[in-house]
Amino acid sequence: MGEEKEVMSHVISNPSFEVETLHQIGQDSWFQVGLVLTTTVNCAYALGYAGTIMVPLGWIGGVTGMVLSTIISLYASTLMAKIHQYGEKRHIRYRDLAGFMYGYRAYAIVWGLQYANLFLINIGFIILGGQALKAFYLLFREDHEMKLPYFIIIAGLACVFFAVSVPHLSALGVWMAVSTFLSIVYFSIAFALCLKDGINAPPRDYSIPGSSSSITFTTIGAAASLVFVYNTGMIPEIQATVRAPVVDNMLKALYFQFTIGVVPVHAVTYMGYWAYGSKSSSYLLYNVSGPVWLRGLANIAAFIQSIITLHIFASPTYEYLDTKYRISGSVLAFRNLSFRTVVRGGYLAITIFLSALLPFLGDFMSFTGAISTIPLTFILPNHMYMRKQISSLQKSWHWFNIVFFSCLAVAALVAAVRLIAMDSKTYHAFADL
């Protein structure tokens, strides 16, 4: 432990020290990085926003929140991108940047927050993959012999196989094209079937469900979910893969993400809520009706795309483990293959167990947004950016953002804990939702 602290101190105190990593740095075009960012936005999580965001907020609050979140998230992400080369040094990990600016304690706190964030997101993706498989199964059999935890295990095993096969983020390569295609498939099918159902359905109820007290908490929880929609909490790690000039190319990738990339999310979210109103579920494909083969195709596309996206959010964990244990070279080398199988498989085994134990997807979105996504995406970048030479008016603006989002984080945490406590009373462990 003493040696680790000594190394970390050297990294932080010496701006010219190049932080070691055995994953590829600076190899990808801005377009590939843009696809990575767009994949995180257009993941199958988006099939739940009609139920988890629009239902608690209604038309006015939901649409306003989605639009404002898009604008604010773009702003916060550009702040993070612009300080990637702070102090004449390229910072390839979020914790490295925090440590360089504030010292070892900040390094450790950011590391803890980020990995908690990514771990909870990974849990959500495995739950989502399990839900997609279960929805596919129920199209052909309604005996309910196969429960959701079984499908979560299957989804998790598929994630293990993918994690062993793909060594690092840049190696996704063609998988980003596959991911984009799959997103188009399930978004197009969901949009078309929602449109059909909405045209043929009787008038829907768009009122916000619940008592006045519960509405307050669900509104706050939905606000935390809005933060999660467009943000990864790992901008420096993604930016580390882009070619020079790193700031300009990352900004191009972000502009791609927040223009073309956000259109499908908005379209399917509003269409789903329009079609089903307050009955919109946390997985939209549970609501839709239509040809079995078409719904089956959408569910399988969502399942496979969830595997790819989980790998993006797990890549910082994999990078840390590979670098620590000197894992590099051929994917098929025996030592590398066995290491990835055991270590990545072990990490995902824990994730699979917790996913099956507490499969409350909406709760994880709110909880994750409260404890880590809000601080990492909005609070810390604003404070970091004030280290640059800026005017007093700009500083006042950044302090306003820090205070506002700190209050939102505390309120969202309370709402998320309450929601988890209520769901724990309603559902038993390993529930079949």
Side-chain angles (χ1 to χ4, degrees), residues 364-428:
F364 278 112
M365 288 172 58
S366 300
F367 190 75
T368 303
I371 67 169
S372 51
T373 309
I374 293 176
L376 292 175
T377 304
F378 297 109
I379 299 174
L380 195 53
N382 274 281
H383 196 273
M384 285 178 166
Y385 197 77
M386 288 194 294
R387 292 294 185 100
K388 296 171 70 81
Q389 294 295 323
I390 58 176
S391 67
S392 57
L393 182 62
Q394 287 176 304
K395 285 186 177 180
S396 299
W397 164 248
H398 290 297
W399 272 117
F400 170 78
N401 285 326
I402 291 168
V403 173
F404 173 80
F405 284 108
S406 296
C407 294
L408 178 61
V410 172
L413 179 60
V414 173
V417 170
R418 178 182 179 273
L419 186 60
I420 291 172
M422 291 178 62
D423 279 345
S424 297
K425 294 177 181 178
T426 305
Y427 302 108
H428 57 79

Side-chain angles (χ1 to χ4, degrees), residues 246-258:
V246 292
V247 173
D248 290 343
N249 281 334
M250 188 63 181
L251 290 177
K252 289 179 183 178
L254 287 169
Y255 296 147
F256 178 80
Q257 174 194 2
F258 284 97

Side-chain angles (χ1 to χ4, degrees), residues 7 12 14 23 30 42 63 65 76 97 133-134 142 148 161 203 242 244 247 251 262-263 295 356 383 400 417 419 427:
V7 171
I12 291 166
N14 187 352
H23 284 200
W30 73 263
N42 291 321
V63 174
L97 178 60
L133 281 182
K134 181 185 176 183
E142 297 185 4
L148 178 60
F161 178 80
V242 75
V247 173
L251 290 177
V262 300
V263 171
R295 288 184 287 160
H383 196 273
F400 170 78
V417 170
L419 186 60
Y427 302 108

Side-chain angles (χ1 to χ4, degrees), residues 104-278:
Y104 180 76
R105 183 174 296 178
Y107 176 98
I109 291 172
V110 168
W111 194 1
L113 283 176
Q114 187 182 43
Y115 280 93
N117 180 46
L118 298 177
F119 181 65
L120 290 172
I121 291 173
N122 290 339
I123 287 176
F125 274 114
I126 292 181
I127 294 172
L128 191 59
Q131 285 184 322
L133 281 182
K134 181 185 176 183
F136 179 80
Y137 173 83
L138 292 177
L139 291 175
F140 303 96
R141 297 187 63 176
E142 297 185 4
D143 51 21
H144 293 281
E145 290 183 7
M146 288 284 288
K147 308 297 183 183
L148 178 60
Y150 304 152
F151 292 109
I152 287 175
I153 292 171
I154 296 171
L157 292 175
C159 291
V160 172
F161 178 80
F162 194 81
V164 172
S165 303
V166 181
H168 48 72
L169 196 58
S170 292
L172 281 169
V174 69
W175 286 107
M176 298 316 305
V178 173
S179 176
T180 302
F181 173 74
L182 293 173
S183 299
I184 293 172
V185 168
Y186 60 69
F187 274 136
S188 298
I189 293 173
F191 186 90
L193 295 182
C194 287
L195 177 61
K196 176 188 70 67
D197 289 347
I199 292 173
N200 297 326
R204 275 79 69 194
D205 178 16
Y206 296 112
S207 61
I208 299 174
S211 62
S212 57
S213 59
S214 64
I215 286 175
T216 301
F217 285 103
T218 55
T219 299
I220 296 172
S225 297
L226 278 169
V227 173
F228 174 79
V229 172
Y230 307 104
N231 300 290
T232 64
M234 49 180 282
I235 288 292
E237 286 80 2
I238 294 176
Q239 190 169 359
T241 67
V242 75
R243 297 172 192 154
V246 292
V247 173
D248 290 343
N249 281 334
M250 188 63 181
L251 290 177
K252 289 179 183 178
L254 287 169
Y255 296 147
F256 178 80
Q257 174 194 2
F258 284 97
T259 52
I260 298 172
V262 300
V263 171
V265 175
H266 283 263
V268 80
T269 299
Y270 304 149
M271 182 57 70
Y273 186 61
W274 172 78
Y276 309 110
S278 59

